[in-house]
Amino acid sequence: MSRDISIPELLQKKKNGDQLTSEEIHLFIQSVVTGMAQDCQIGAMLMAMYLKGLTDQETVSLTTAMVHSGDQLSWNPEWKDLLVDKHSTGGCGDKISLVLAPALAACGFKVPMISGRGLEHTGGTLDKLESIPGFCVQLLEKEMQSALETAGCFIAGPTATLAPADKELYKRRDVTATVDSIPLCVASIISKKVAEGTKTLVMDVKVGEAAFFKSEDEARTLASKLIKVSAGLGVQTRVALTNMDSPIGRAVGNSLEVAEAIDCLKGKGPHDVVELVATLGGIVLEMKGHAKTLKEGKETVLNVLNSGEALEKFRLMLICQGVAKEVATALCQGDMCSVLPSVPPDHITITKAYSSGTITKVDALKVAKAVWKLGAGRSKADEPIDHRVGIRLLRMQGEKVKEGDGLIEIYHNSPQLNADIHRQLEEAILISDNPNGMEHLLIIDIIRD
């Protein structure tokens, strides 16, 4: 810290609701990364920022300081106008990145996707990919470069030197109840995207019962901040607000979601997954001028899914990230049972419809929490997970069922399914003989500025 500025003085200033200068924020972040700031001081600043808020300029300064707290990835200068990425605030059954990254690569873009792991009921992209034998999420920069050259994309964890301030702040945010601060969320997300070298970003902000933000107003506030702050750091961003009241697709659970993602890469898969991939990809194509309209962009994405071009990019990405060539090929050719980890047949339970009618709701939060309890998620960052467990929806919202029809396949890691989990999943599906008013809007809005 500068002799002229002390941490207690910065804390007093922010506690009073005064705006911190760019220099003051930079000095504070440097003190966090170098260990000069005490834990109690970091927690106090986070709470002051949470309670008093940050202006757009403060958020830009915080994000910039976090970017400069470590190394920044650099790529072939010829790729400058091709570097794109996507980020999601997470949800139940959200395997979109596994399909979208190779789809965008098949459209000619370079996608350096830095992703994260799941915590509690929110699944993590890296955890899903580690269901694939040999897949490596920790890459050296030269390995990332090679993957972009060969496959056009990679999906990896952050390096130790990429925006290290974010790691330091986040682990304190979790224990100081400041995770839901919108400015802190924005700085966390955008700092990593800037550090990875992305120039164009599409954000999938989830809204609903199983989302981080339950209200549409909160989600819109986050979207506006993301767009303004990223623009301040030279990243063009658009945000799709999407529904997270129901699971995305039919599969929830790591290896089960990988299998469903591969189906989508073959032009198959659940309609909502394909629609969301096409929409997010179409937004990128329109932003970059590769499509005149969103509709045209969506059609281009659907074409690379149906043609197998996106699947081939996915296969090449797997090989670049440590998967044996024969394993990657077998997986993409449909031999998923021999490649992906799975439970034995006597570890599968099917829930039955308690009455005849129409499914009016599939509660994403109940499903997500049940799958977490099965062992697919973790309570602490270093906790192991079971890639085999999860659920597959046999019926989705809007479908008619008869009493006794199968509703959910539950994949559990012991012969006897836990009774509480069984009951929770039974309660997750509502059946009614009056389906009026059950409209499920997948894409709520697309925010451009």
Side-chain angles (χ1 to χ4, degrees):
M1 294 290 291
S2 165
R3 284 187 315 175
D4 301 327
I5 308 173
S6 70
I7 295 179
E9 287 172 329
L10 294 183
L11 289 171
Q12 182 69 43
K13 186 174 181 180
K14 195 64 211 172
K15 184 182 76 171
N16 292 340
D18 296 332
Q19 183 171 335
L20 298 176
T21 67
S22 178
E23 180 192 16
E24 288 169 339
I25 290 173
H26 176 79
L27 288 171
F28 174 73
I29 290 300
Q30 285 302 305
S31 73
V32 170
V33 174
T34 59
M36 291 178 63
Q38 299 175 43
D39 265 1
C40 60
Q41 292 174 321
I42 299 172
M45 179 61 83
L46 290 171
M47 185 56 71
M49 288 178 169
Y50 180 86
L51 294 174
K52 297 299 182 179
L54 296 174
T55 65
D56 287 345
Q57 183 53 55
E58 282 179 302
T59 309
V60 169
S61 298
L62 176 61
T63 308
T64 303
M66 289 166 67
V67 171
H68 292 153
S69 69
D71 296 335
Q72 298 176 57
L73 300 176
S74 59
W75 310 113
N76 186 327
E78 295 178 2
W79 299 345
K80 181 181 177 182
D81 295 326
L82 300 176
L83 292 163
V84 303
D85 198 4
K86 164 260 183 189
H87 181 83
S88 169
T89 55
C92 178
D94 187 0
K95 71 280 297 175
I96 301 302
S97 292
L98 278 65
V99 186
L100 183 59
L104 288 172
C107 292
F109 296 107
K110 301 295 182 182
V111 191
M113 188 175 285
I114 301 296
S115 293
R117 298 191 180 278
L119 189 63
E120 294 192 347
H121 67 273
T122 300
T125 298
L126 301 183
D127 298 319
K128 302 181 207 300
L129 286 166
E130 285 184 331
S131 300
I132 304 169
F135 191 91
C136 179
V137 302
Q138 294 302 326
L139 301 179
L140 300 174
E141 189 170 345
K142 64 180 181 180
E143 293 170 327
M144 294 177 178
Q145 184 88 23
S146 177
L148 289 184
E149 288 272 9
T150 303
C153 61
F154 65 78
I155 304 176
T159 66
T161 57
L162 191 77
D166 179 59
K167 301 182 187 69
E168 293 301 318
L169 291 183
Y170 193 86
K171 65 186 180 184
R172 273 92 173 187
R173 284 169 61 201
D174 193 39
V175 297
T176 55
T178 56
V179 171
D180 57 342
S181 162
I182 286 180
L184 293 176
C185 284
V186 170
S188 176
I189 293 167
I190 301 300
S191 64
K192 293 192 289 289
K193 295 305 176 185
V194 172
E196 77 179 21
T198 296
K199 300 302 179 186
T200 302
L201 176 65
V202 61
M203 280 286 306
D204 180 2
V205 174
K206 305 293 187 189
V207 184
E209 293 179 9
F212 190 68
F213 293 99
K214 305 289 188 289
S215 81
E216 191 175 318
D217 286 345
E218 280 185 313
R220 287 185 181 278
T221 300
L222 174 64
S224 177
K225 284 274 189 182
L226 285 165
I227 292 169
K228 287 179 182 177
V229 171
S230 60
L233 281 91
V235 177
Q236 183 186 17
T237 300
R238 285 186 189 165
V239 179
L241 299 185
T242 65
N243 195 305
M244 196 64 254
D245 287 332
S246 297
I248 304 170
R250 293 183 180 270
V252 184
N254 298 289
S255 65
L256 296 170
E257 290 188 48
V258 170
E260 186 167 88
I262 292 171
D263 282 341
C264 293
L265 285 163
K266 294 178 179 178
K268 304 173 185 177
H271 170 77
D272 58 345
V273 179
V274 174
E275 174 65 16
L276 193 46
V277 168
T279 299
L280 295 173
I283 291 171
V284 172
L285 266 69
E286 185 188 13
M287 289 170 74
K288 298 300 293 181
H290 289 222
K292 294 179 181 178
T293 63
L294 174 57
K295 181 180 178 182
E296 183 183 312
K298 289 173 67 175
E299 289 172 353
T300 300
V301 174
L302 291 172
N303 286 339
V304 299
L305 293 177
N306 294 328
S307 68
E309 295 171 78
L311 181 65
E312 175 60 12
K313 293 293 186 182
F314 183 75
R315 189 184 74 88
L316 292 172
M317 182 187 78
L318 297 185
I319 295 169
C320 288
Q321 294 193 233
V323 179
K325 183 176 180 180
E326 58 272 19
V327 173
T329 301
L331 185 63
C332 292
Q333 287 179 348
D335 191 12
M336 290 184 270
C337 292
S338 69
V339 174
L340 296 174
S342 60
V343 301
D346 63 347
H347 288 43
I348 301 174
T349 300
I350 299 178
T351 67
K352 306 286 186 180
Y354 53 83
S355 66
S356 298
T358 301
I359 296 177
T360 56
K361 182 175 183 179
V362 181
D363 191 315
L365 185 57
K366 286 182 178 178
V367 169
K369 286 186 173 180
V371 171
W372 169 45
K373 291 175 184 176
L374 284 170
R378 55 174 67 83
S379 300
K380 297 180 293 185
D382 57 352
E383 204 169 41
I385 62 171
D386 191 334
H387 291 97
R388 305 170 301 163
V389 300
I391 65 100
R392 181 176 282 118
L393 296 172
L394 302 177
R395 299 287 189 276
M396 297 181 75
Q397 183 172 316
E399 295 184 19
K400 293 183 177 180
V401 295
K402 294 181 180 179
E403 184 177 352
D405 284 350
L407 296 180
I408 303 176
E409 279 185 342
I410 309 169
Y411 296 73
H412 39 100
N413 55 19
S414 60
Q416 189 67 37
L417 174 62
N418 178 283
D420 288 338
I421 295 175
H422 195 173
R423 183 171 57 255
Q424 188 170 343
L425 286 168
E426 286 180 323
E427 294 172 351
I429 293 187
L430 298 182
I431 301 170
S432 173
D433 55 7
N434 180 20
N436 293 332
M438 67 165 191
E439 182 183 4
H440 177 78
L441 187 64
L442 179 62
I443 312 294
I444 298 169
D445 197 6
I446 296 172
I447 302 173
R448 299 169 182 266
D449 51 36

